[in-house]
Short mmCIF file of all heavy atoms in Angstrom, two decimals:
data_model
loop_
_atom_site.label_atom_id
_atom_site.label_comp_id
_atom_site.label_asym_id
_atom_site.label_seq_id
_atom_site.Cartn_x
_atom_site.Cartn_y
_atom_site.Cartn_z
N LEU A 112 -39.91 -60.59 41.15
CA LEU A 112 -41.18 -60.65 41.82
C LEU A 112 -41.57 -62.09 42.21
O LEU A 112 -42.01 -62.33 43.33
CB LEU A 112 -42.30 -60.07 40.91
CG LEU A 112 -43.69 -59.92 41.47
CD1 LEU A 112 -43.69 -59.10 42.75
CD2 LEU A 112 -44.60 -59.28 40.43
N ALA A 113 -41.39 -63.04 41.29
CA ALA A 113 -41.71 -64.43 41.59
C ALA A 113 -41.06 -65.34 40.57
O ALA A 113 -40.86 -64.95 39.43
CB ALA A 113 -43.22 -64.66 41.59
N ASP A 114 -40.76 -66.57 41.01
CA ASP A 114 -40.32 -67.65 40.13
C ASP A 114 -41.30 -68.79 40.26
O ASP A 114 -41.72 -69.14 41.37
CB ASP A 114 -38.92 -68.16 40.52
CG ASP A 114 -37.82 -67.11 40.37
OD1 ASP A 114 -37.96 -66.26 39.47
OD2 ASP A 114 -36.85 -67.16 41.15
N PHE A 115 -41.69 -69.41 39.14
CA PHE A 115 -42.59 -70.54 39.23
C PHE A 115 -42.46 -71.42 38.00
O PHE A 115 -41.85 -71.03 37.00
CB PHE A 115 -44.04 -70.09 39.43
CG PHE A 115 -44.67 -69.44 38.22
CD1 PHE A 115 -45.58 -70.13 37.41
CD2 PHE A 115 -44.39 -68.11 37.88
CE1 PHE A 115 -46.18 -69.54 36.32
CE2 PHE A 115 -45.02 -67.49 36.78
CZ PHE A 115 -45.89 -68.24 36.01
N TYR A 116 -43.01 -72.64 38.10
CA TYR A 116 -43.08 -73.57 36.98
C TYR A 116 -44.49 -73.48 36.40
O TYR A 116 -45.49 -73.58 37.11
CB TYR A 116 -42.78 -74.99 37.41
CG TYR A 116 -41.34 -75.20 37.87
CD1 TYR A 116 -41.01 -75.21 39.21
CD2 TYR A 116 -40.31 -75.35 36.94
CE1 TYR A 116 -39.71 -75.37 39.63
CE2 TYR A 116 -39.01 -75.53 37.35
CZ TYR A 116 -38.71 -75.53 38.70
OH TYR A 116 -37.42 -75.67 39.11
N ALA A 117 -44.57 -73.33 35.08
CA ALA A 117 -45.90 -73.12 34.44
C ALA A 117 -46.83 -74.31 34.62
O ALA A 117 -48.01 -74.13 34.90
CB ALA A 117 -45.68 -72.82 32.96
N SER A 118 -46.30 -75.51 34.44
CA SER A 118 -47.14 -76.74 34.51
C SER A 118 -46.21 -77.90 34.81
O SER A 118 -45.92 -78.73 33.92
CB SER A 118 -47.90 -76.94 33.22
OG SER A 118 -48.72 -78.10 33.28
N PRO A 119 -45.71 -78.03 36.06
CA PRO A 119 -44.65 -78.99 36.35
C PRO A 119 -45.03 -80.46 36.16
O PRO A 119 -44.13 -81.31 36.11
CB PRO A 119 -44.34 -78.70 37.82
CG PRO A 119 -45.54 -78.02 38.38
CD PRO A 119 -46.09 -77.25 37.24
N GLY A 120 -46.32 -80.76 36.02
CA GLY A 120 -46.69 -82.14 35.74
C GLY A 120 -46.54 -82.50 34.28
O GLY A 120 -46.54 -83.70 33.93
N GLY A 121 -46.42 -81.49 33.40
CA GLY A 121 -46.32 -81.80 31.97
C GLY A 121 -45.32 -81.00 31.21
O GLY A 121 -45.23 -81.11 29.98
N SER A 122 -44.54 -80.14 31.90
CA SER A 122 -43.54 -79.28 31.22
C SER A 122 -42.48 -78.90 32.20
O SER A 122 -42.74 -78.80 33.41
CB SER A 122 -44.25 -78.02 30.67
OG SER A 122 -43.30 -77.10 30.19
N ASP A 123 -41.25 -78.68 31.69
CA ASP A 123 -40.17 -78.17 32.56
C ASP A 123 -40.02 -76.67 32.43
O ASP A 123 -39.01 -76.10 32.87
CB ASP A 123 -38.86 -78.88 32.26
CG ASP A 123 -38.26 -78.52 30.90
OD1 ASP A 123 -38.95 -77.83 30.10
OD2 ASP A 123 -37.11 -78.91 30.63
N GLU A 124 -41.05 -75.98 31.83
CA GLU A 124 -40.94 -74.53 31.66
C GLU A 124 -40.87 -73.81 33.03
O GLU A 124 -41.74 -73.97 33.87
CB GLU A 124 -42.15 -73.99 30.90
CG GLU A 124 -42.07 -72.48 30.71
CD GLU A 124 -43.27 -71.88 29.99
OE1 GLU A 124 -44.22 -72.63 29.72
OE2 GLU A 124 -43.25 -70.66 29.71
N ALA A 125 -39.82 -73.04 33.20
CA ALA A 125 -39.65 -72.21 34.39
C ALA A 125 -39.84 -70.77 33.99
O ALA A 125 -39.38 -70.34 32.92
CB ALA A 125 -38.28 -72.41 35.00
N ILE A 126 -40.54 -69.98 34.83
CA ILE A 126 -40.86 -68.61 34.48
C ILE A 126 -40.39 -67.69 35.63
O ILE A 126 -40.65 -67.99 36.80
CB ILE A 126 -42.35 -68.39 34.27
CG1 ILE A 126 -42.85 -69.27 33.10
CG2 ILE A 126 -42.69 -66.93 34.00
CD1 ILE A 126 -44.34 -69.23 32.85
N ARG A 127 -39.69 -66.64 35.29
CA ARG A 127 -39.32 -65.62 36.25
C ARG A 127 -40.06 -64.34 35.93
O ARG A 127 -40.03 -63.85 34.79
CB ARG A 127 -37.80 -65.36 36.27
CG ARG A 127 -37.37 -64.13 37.05
CD ARG A 127 -35.89 -64.12 37.43
NE ARG A 127 -35.68 -64.99 38.60
CZ ARG A 127 -34.54 -65.06 39.27
NH1 ARG A 127 -33.49 -64.34 38.90
NH2 ARG A 127 -34.45 -65.86 40.35
#
Side-chain angles (χ1 to χ4, degrees):
L112 185 56
D114 296 329
F115 71 102
Y116 293 99
S118 181
S122 172
D123 69 351
E124 180 182 5
I126 300 176
R127 168 161 280 190

